[in-house]
Amino acid sequence: MRYITFVIIPPDGGLTDADRAFGGSAAVTRHSIQHINLLTDGTAVLIFELGGEVERADEILQSSPEVLEYNITKTRENHHAYLHLEANEIITELLSIPNEHELVVDTPLVYTHRGGLRVTVIGEESVFRQAMTEVPPSLRIKLEQLGEYEPTTDRLFSLLTDRQQEILQTAIQQGYYEVPRKVTHKDVAESLDCSGGTVGEHLRKIEATLLAEITP
């Protein structure tokens, strides 16, 4: 299995009107697209990871006619904006390519400092060549890297929910996975304002998710 990493440079700085508005606002910073999916009814779902002023992001989404519904969730450092919107021609054509060619888009899609979107796609090299010819002409593509695909630490970590990431990081920092083990579920839970049973359940799910990805 191979991977190809490239930067998409959208027209006018964004894939959608809301995306362009985020990029054009001094009060909002685009970090990544955590999820993007084309639905069968012709609409699309995107989850943006944003920095900056959540109030300004909310104003942008309220005034965007393409957005059918949205929700913004605050986190400790950044916030996530869930968008259900009418899919424009670029989104429709772009997201149809992986489905037609059996390619996997490795999320998140990360914004560059110039407003491009860095994307990694997994599949067969011969398929890449055919698929690249079908990229909408309004998009500029800059190839960065091609090689053998191996799951990375960042990708594995991104498979966990925000709460699972927080619990795993806390458990590691406190020595739960050291030998001999320095803390119990209850000790970890005291730092997270939850019960030891909740920590144990989350860690079992985390371990199952990660082991399933690395086991041949």
Side-chain angles (χ1 to χ4, degrees), residues 80-105:
H80 292 83
Y82 163 89
L83 280 66
H84 179 206
L85 47 76
E86 297 285 356
N88 58 28
E89 184 176 353
I90 290 177
I91 289 288
T92 301
E93 293 181 4
L94 192 61
L95 296 186
S96 296
I97 294 173
N99 294 334
E100 293 174 2
H101 294 276
E102 297 184 354
L103 296 170
V104 176
V105 178

Side-chain angles (χ1 to χ4, degrees), residues 22 53-64 70 72:
F22 288 148
E53 299 177 9
V54 68
E55 295 80 7
R56 178 56 185 146
D58 186 70
E59 290 173 359
I60 288 171
L61 295 178
Q62 280 190 26
S63 62
S64 179
Y70 73 93
I72 301 178

Side-chain angles (χ1 to χ4, degrees), residues 72-187:
I72 301 178
T73 303
K74 292 185 180 181
T75 61
R76 288 183 177 180
E77 296 181 357
N78 300 313
H79 37 276
H80 292 83
Y82 163 89
L83 280 66
H84 179 206
L85 47 76
E86 297 285 356
N88 58 28
E89 184 176 353
I90 290 177
I91 289 288
T92 301
E93 293 181 4
L94 192 61
L95 296 186
S96 296
I97 294 173
N99 294 334
E100 293 174 2
H101 294 276
E102 297 184 354
L103 296 170
V104 176
V105 178
D106 193 18
T107 52
L109 286 59
V110 180
Y111 284 94
T112 69
H113 69 282
R114 293 185 175 181
L117 199 56
R118 182 170 286 108
V119 182
T120 295
V121 177
I122 305 160
E124 300 297 333
E125 188 169 347
S126 58
V127 179
F128 291 152
R129 294 196 178 97
Q130 175 61 34
M132 294 298 283
T133 66
E134 299 178 17
V135 173
S138 57
L139 296 176
R140 291 168 52 204
I141 300 292
K142 179 182 177 182
L143 180 63
E144 288 196 334
Q145 198 169 14
L146 175 69
E148 291 297 323
Y149 175 73
E150 295 180 6
T152 65
T153 302
D154 287 345
R155 177 183 175 276
L156 291 174
F157 195 61
S158 72
L159 296 174
L160 307 178
T161 65
D162 290 344
R163 184 59 167 168
Q164 288 175 335
Q165 291 177 5
E166 181 184 24
I167 289 174
L168 179 60
Q169 287 175 323
T170 302
I172 291 172
Q173 290 167 1
Q174 294 188 0
Y176 179 80
Y177 287 103
E178 293 185 18
V179 181
R181 186 167 286 164
K182 291 185 176 181
V183 294
T184 65
H185 291 164
K186 184 177 180 181
D187 296 325

Side-chain angles (χ1 to χ4, degrees), residues 13-40:
L15 295 176
T16 71
D17 291 342
D19 187 17
R20 281 186 282 273
F22 288 148
S25 173
V28 177
T29 302
R30 297 177 297 181
H31 293 298
S32 64
I33 295 177
Q34 295 286 324
H35 175 79
I36 182 169
N37 189 32
L38 184 65
L39 305 183
T40 55

